[in-house]
Amino acid sequence: MSAEPELIELRELAPSGRIGPGRTRLERANALRIAPCTARNSSQQHVPGRGHRFQPAGPATHTWCDLCGDFIWGVVRKGLQCAHCKFTCHYRCRALVCLDCCGPRDLGWDPALERDTNVDEPGQRETPDLSQAETEQKIKDYNGQINSNLFMSLNKDGSYTGFIKVQLKLVRPVSVPSSKKPPSLQDARRGTGRSTAVKRRTSFYLPKDAIKHLHVLSRTRAREVIEALLRKFMVVDDPRKFALFERTERHGQVYFRKLSDDEQPLKLRLLAGPSEKALSFVLKENDSGEVNWDAFSMPELHNFLRILQREEEEHLRQILQKYSRCRQKIQEALHACPLG
């Protein structure tokens, strides 16, 4: 991977935007070049992935299948997860997994610090509303502290633009369209991207040290940052599978806080200053166990209710069978005992 940071112009990735001169570098986004693992030819006969040790997923697992991309949900039967690489899928998708297990992923970031002192911080933090003069002074102070050309700029309407760096700390694989030619940026604008159902998908493990710089507006939300990163890599997984976290170091401890969808990363960057210890952004899997049901459509919610009903009926049937067998054994023992 090149040591030169690659910049993503977030506004240039908007569907309604236009490609201007000097922005052709964005079309170099080729999902097939980001995978360190060997992919199988889709035209060959299906070969099961090697090395996985699938186990029932834990009770707090509410996530999306790494194979088909559909949401995994249930009270008892939640799906399967590889004990080594954390590949997560439906029970029905287990036999279709072709990606080999990569083993436990050592992401290699501050092992002595992060492994022992990670602390999850609660909730959304309140950020002060700055006046025009305060914003201008903050930007001036920020630009005076950085030693690169990644400056912030104040716009006439009171908003400002700047750069944020996002580290991709993904343990599980991501999915891209399984085709010989990845879709171009123009294809995505014409609506052939994630909004269209992807019939064939190929899974990859992203490099553990992937870092991307994004040029964003002060009003750009965390959810838009996630969507821009996924478009960059042509990832077709549901954006809700991922979450943007802020990472801070204080008194020898590392704190992670998941940003809400509407938080503005550039504003957080300005308030914290350019120090990476004071604030940095990390993209991780959204495996908090919490489900934002309001984010699902009505058909999806009705489908979850049907899944819940089927699971409840199956669970009750198994419980009744268990008690019926136990009762039968007791009755057989009673009949076998001699009277008196």
Side-chain angles (χ1 to χ4, degrees), residues 276-295:
E276 291 291 318
K277 288 189 175 182
L279 175 72
S280 60
F281 296 107
V282 181
L283 184 72
K284 300 199 297 183
E285 283 88 1
N286 187 15
D287 290 338
S288 63
E290 302 173 357
V291 181
N292 181 15
W293 297 114
D294 295 334

Side-chain angles (χ1 to χ4, degrees), residues 123-170:
Q124 181 172 343
R125 110 176 14 161
E126 294 185 3
T127 55
D129 292 327
L130 302 178
S131 65
Q132 181 82 0
E134 290 173 328
T135 301
E136 187 174 356
Q137 184 60 45
K138 280 278 188 182
I139 292 176
K140 183 178 179 181
D141 294 341
Y142 182 93
N143 291 339
Q145 297 177 53
I146 62 176
N147 54 6
S148 66
N149 61 348
L150 304 181
F151 300 107
M152 289 194 188
S153 302
L154 184 65
N155 301 322
K156 293 182 179 180
D157 61 358
S159 65
Y160 48 95
T161 58
F163 296 87
I164 60 171
K165 183 174 74 171
V166 180
Q167 297 173 312
L168 278 66
K169 192 175 182 181
L170 300 178

Side-chain angles (χ1 to χ4, degrees), residues 55-327:
Q55 299 174 339
T61 302
H62 298 290
T63 187
W64 281 260
C65 179
D66 292 328
L67 184 78
C68 71
D70 290 340
F71 189 60
I72 300 174
W73 184 77
V75 177
V76 178
R77 192 176 173 89
K78 289 184 179 294
L80 298 168
Q81 187 174 71
C82 177
H84 302 310
C85 69
K86 305 305 178 184
F87 191 107
T88 306
C89 64
H90 295 97
Y91 278 84
R92 67 174 185 263
C93 295
R94 167 65 184 94
L96 302 176
V97 176
C98 293
L99 185 67
D100 292 341
C101 180
C102 69
R105 300 203 72 194
D106 180 10
L107 297 178
W109 292 353
D110 303 333
L113 187 64
E114 291 201 7
R115 186 180 300 127
D116 298 329
T117 61
N118 280 357
V119 178
D120 290 329
E121 287 196 320
Q124 181 172 343
R125 110 176 14 161
E126 294 185 3
T127 55
D129 292 327
L130 302 178
S131 65
Q132 181 82 0
E134 290 173 328
T135 301
E136 187 174 356
Q137 184 60 45
K138 280 278 188 182
I139 292 176
K140 183 178 179 181
D141 294 341
Y142 182 93
N143 291 339
Q145 297 177 53
I146 62 176
N147 54 6
S148 66
N149 61 348
L150 304 181
F151 300 107
M152 289 194 188
S153 302
L154 184 65
N155 301 322
K156 293 182 179 180
D157 61 358
S159 65
Y160 48 95
T161 58
F163 296 87
I164 60 171
K165 183 174 74 171
V166 180
Q167 297 173 312
L168 278 66
K169 192 175 182 181
L170 300 178
V171 177
R172 292 160 52 191
V174 297
S175 298
V176 297
S178 179
S179 60
K180 293 182 179 179
K181 182 181 179 181
S184 65
L185 195 62
Q186 289 88 345
D187 293 332
R189 290 200 176 101
R190 286 195 294 266
T192 57
R194 189 182 298 106
S195 59
T196 304
V198 179
K199 295 182 179 180
R200 300 186 64 87
R201 301 156 61 97
T202 300
S203 298
F204 295 95
Y205 292 101
L206 280 173
K208 65 181 181 180
D209 55 352
I211 296 175
K212 293 296 174 187
H213 289 77
L214 291 89
H215 191 212
V216 301
L217 285 164
S218 55
R219 57 177 173 266
T220 300
R221 301 177 302 134
R223 178 54 51 187
E224 295 172 309
V225 170
I226 295 173
E227 292 172 352
L229 287 168
L230 299 185
R231 281 196 296 267
K232 166 63 188 175
F233 288 115
M234 299 299 168
V235 173
V236 296
D237 290 308
D238 194 299
R240 293 169 293 184
K241 176 182 173 181
F242 309 94
L244 191 64
F245 289 78
E246 69 169 21
R247 177 187 182 276
T248 59
E249 294 183 28
R250 298 194 302 270
H251 310 297
Q253 280 196 322
V254 176
Y255 295 83
F256 281 97
R257 183 180 70 87
K258 185 173 77 170
L259 302 186
S260 67
D261 288 349
D262 294 328
E263 288 192 73
Q264 300 164 333
L266 189 61
K267 184 177 182 180
L268 297 175
R269 177 80 279 165
L270 178 64
L271 293 174
S275 171
E276 291 291 318
K277 288 189 175 182
L279 175 72
S280 60
F281 296 107
V282 181
L283 184 72
K284 300 199 297 183
E285 283 88 1
N286 187 15
D287 290 338
S288 63
E290 302 173 357
V291 181
N292 181 15
W293 297 114
D294 295 334
F296 292 94
S297 65
M298 290 292 290
E300 288 176 320
L301 292 174
H302 283 301
N303 186 50
F304 294 152
L305 285 176
R306 287 192 291 268
I307 293 173
L308 180 63
Q309 181 177 352
R310 289 199 303 267
E311 184 179 286
E312 181 183 16
E313 292 172 353
E314 175 64 20
H315 191 52
L316 288 174
R317 186 184 65 82
Q318 292 177 359
I319 292 176
L320 290 174
Q321 284 183 347
K322 180 179 179 180
Y323 279 93
S324 177
R325 287 194 298 267
C326 185
R327 187 179 298 109

